[in-house]
Amino acid sequence: MNRVATVYSEVLPPRDAPSGCQLVVIEGPDRGRALRLGSDERVVGSAPGCDLVLTDDRVSARHLAVREVDGRYALRDLDSTNGTLYEGSRLGDRAGHDQEGARGGAAMHPSAQLIVPVGSVLKLGRSFLRIQPQARSLDVEPSQARRFGELVGESLVMREVFAVLELAAAGDVSVLLEGETGTGKELAARAIHDHSARRRGPFVAVDCGALPEGVLESELFGHVRGAFTGATQPRAGLFARAHGGTLFLDELDGVPLATQARLLRVLEERAVRPVGADETRAVDVRLVAAAQSHLEQRVADGSFRADLFYRVSVLGLALPPLRARREDIPILVTELLRRRGAAAGEVAGDNLDLLLAHDWPGNVRELRNCLDRAVALSPGTRGFSDLRLSLAPSATAGDPLAVRSDLRFAEAKEVVLHGFERRYLRDLLARTGGNLSAAARESGIDRKHLRALARKHGLVAPAGASFQDPDDPR
């Protein structure tokens, strides 16, 4: 069974055993680095031999030891120069204060180690680290439904997607939708809202990547009169307008770091302060976010806040590209033509063969545009087989950097980037014999990010098997 979703919370527990926790750097020069924790003691410090190496110059060579104890975590400061702070106190001072018992959920281990719960935040030098649940795959039985909202599909992977969306709609957790352009992220977000307890409230959507930073903050949080030049009237932000409903943040990976900090504060405090205002306003909003890129990689390279990532991705869902579910093309054709008021008839023959052979870099949106164009060019058509289908060459065929002027700008740009990434990675891996470490060194790409990109383009096997170019007929 394919795994299409991950969980960073106990709210939606997976069927398999919990995978434990990790220690994540959420602030500091090494933000995004993480260390998986277990019953064996793991050491954090600046020395090369530590399990988690920090470049913070105020962290000692061997600074802190951490290990799991009955679902909680034992902390031991290793006589560091600047100490380890927990809830504002050094571990040694805290140990003396807590000899008779624990405060705030902490308790002393018999060997004078401090035992803390999951979610605890520690300060080492200038760095803040949090004990955070490890991402776990969410296994679900495929849904019996063939649609969820406006999403349709009969393939196994889509019925698994529907099963996860049904779970998400039944709860109120934050959801992160990842996938290429045109895979239906906004349709999935709206379907979650329409099937949730918030369906009577508003559904508000914003494309974060299309707005400059100052405009984005005003859109999200609102502003008061006179907050900036041109603010002649007060404006309620999208959080306020989505009160009691769902706020969909598309292109979350396009939010600048400064706005990420404000966004996190709103989500944590459930209150928003308009730009230029002195007072906050309580908001009750369910967040669904979407991103094209893998946000975990953005966290690792420091361009996306780790704490915000964990806050928005309580449940993460990957929407598959159309080329990974070609068996859904007939049902999609029937549905898309129905929405145009046209009868599809039997979806078969040469036209279907043409659609099945295409790579669909623009995914379902490109298929919709293709059918819309065909209907316009085929007046009086009696069904699918009579349509004049016209397909542009795929980015993977002929010139991979060919510009698709028949698509919207963002979609055409994504097609070019997709073709560039695949050709670059294919040649890089072929030249290095499939050695990811050598490829990472030669390209300057982080090895973990390189593997994710190679998997995205089908250039490495899921389990890490040796490289084989899928375009090579051998």
Side-chain angles (χ1 to χ4, degrees), residues 293-294 296-298 300-301 421 425 445-455:
S293 61
H294 295 283
E296 283 184 289
Q297 302 306 322
R298 297 288 302 276
D301 66 24
E421 282 183 1
L425 294 170
I445 304 174
D446 175 79
R447 188 180 185 279
K448 187 176 180 182
H449 189 199
L450 177 64
R451 174 176 286 279
L453 286 174
R455 282 179 176 171

Side-chain angles (χ1 to χ4, degrees), residues 34 286 444:
R286 192 220 185 135

Side-chain angles (χ1 to χ4, degrees), residues 413-434:
K413 180 180 177 182
E414 180 66 18
V415 170
V416 172
L417 290 175
H418 183 278
F420 164 75
E421 282 183 1
R422 191 173 192 281
R423 188 172 71 170
Y424 179 88
L425 294 170
R426 184 185 61 199
D427 293 349
L428 174 68
L429 289 170
R431 190 169 61 256
T432 57

Side-chain angles (χ1 to χ4, degrees), residues 293-367:
S293 61
H294 295 283
L295 281 190
E296 283 184 289
Q297 302 306 322
R298 297 288 302 276
V299 170
D301 66 24
S303 61
F304 198 87
R305 294 178 63 105
D307 43 10
L308 178 59
F309 171 75
Y310 290 120
R311 183 65 181 79
V312 301
S313 61
V314 175
L315 174 62
L317 175 62
L319 296 179
L322 184 55
R323 62 184 173 276
R325 57 182 188 107
R326 296 177 192 268
E327 61 268 44
D328 286 334
I329 289 179
I331 190 175
L332 285 168
V333 167
T334 300
E335 176 67 15
L336 292 170
L337 289 177
R338 183 192 65 79
R339 294 177 190 174
R340 283 295 305 261
E346 183 182 9
V347 180
D350 293 342
N351 271 353
L352 178 59
D353 292 340
L354 182 65
L355 298 184
L356 291 175
H358 192 59
D359 261 356
W360 301 110
N363 294 292
V364 179
R365 184 180 292 127
E366 183 184 358
L367 175 61

Side-chain angles (χ1 to χ4, degrees), residues 217-225 227-228 234-240 262 266 271-283:
E217 290 203 0
S218 175
E219 281 291 311
L220 289 175
F221 313 124
H223 63 255
V224 298
R225 181 178 179 181
F228 49 83
R235 178 182 175 85
L238 297 177
F239 270 95
R262 289 203 63 187
V266 172
V272 62
R273 184 175 67 182
V275 176
D278 296 324
E279 298 180 353
T280 61
R281 169 183 174 178
V283 289

Side-chain angles (χ1 to χ4, degrees), residues 1-4 138-148 151-167 317-320 324-325 327-328 331:
M1 180 182 297
N2 293 326
R3 296 188 173 191
V4 298
L138 179 67
D139 285 342
V140 293
E141 293 294 335
S143 173
Q144 297 303 306
R146 297 302 190 266
R147 66 167 56 240
F148 189 79
L151 296 172
V152 296
E154 296 180 327
S155 61
L156 176 62
V157 66
M158 279 308 290
R159 289 190 293 116
E160 289 176 337
V161 166
F162 295 160
V164 176
L165 292 174
E166 289 163 3
L167 279 176
L317 175 62
L319 296 179
R325 57 182 188 107
E327 61 268 44
D328 286 334
I331 190 175

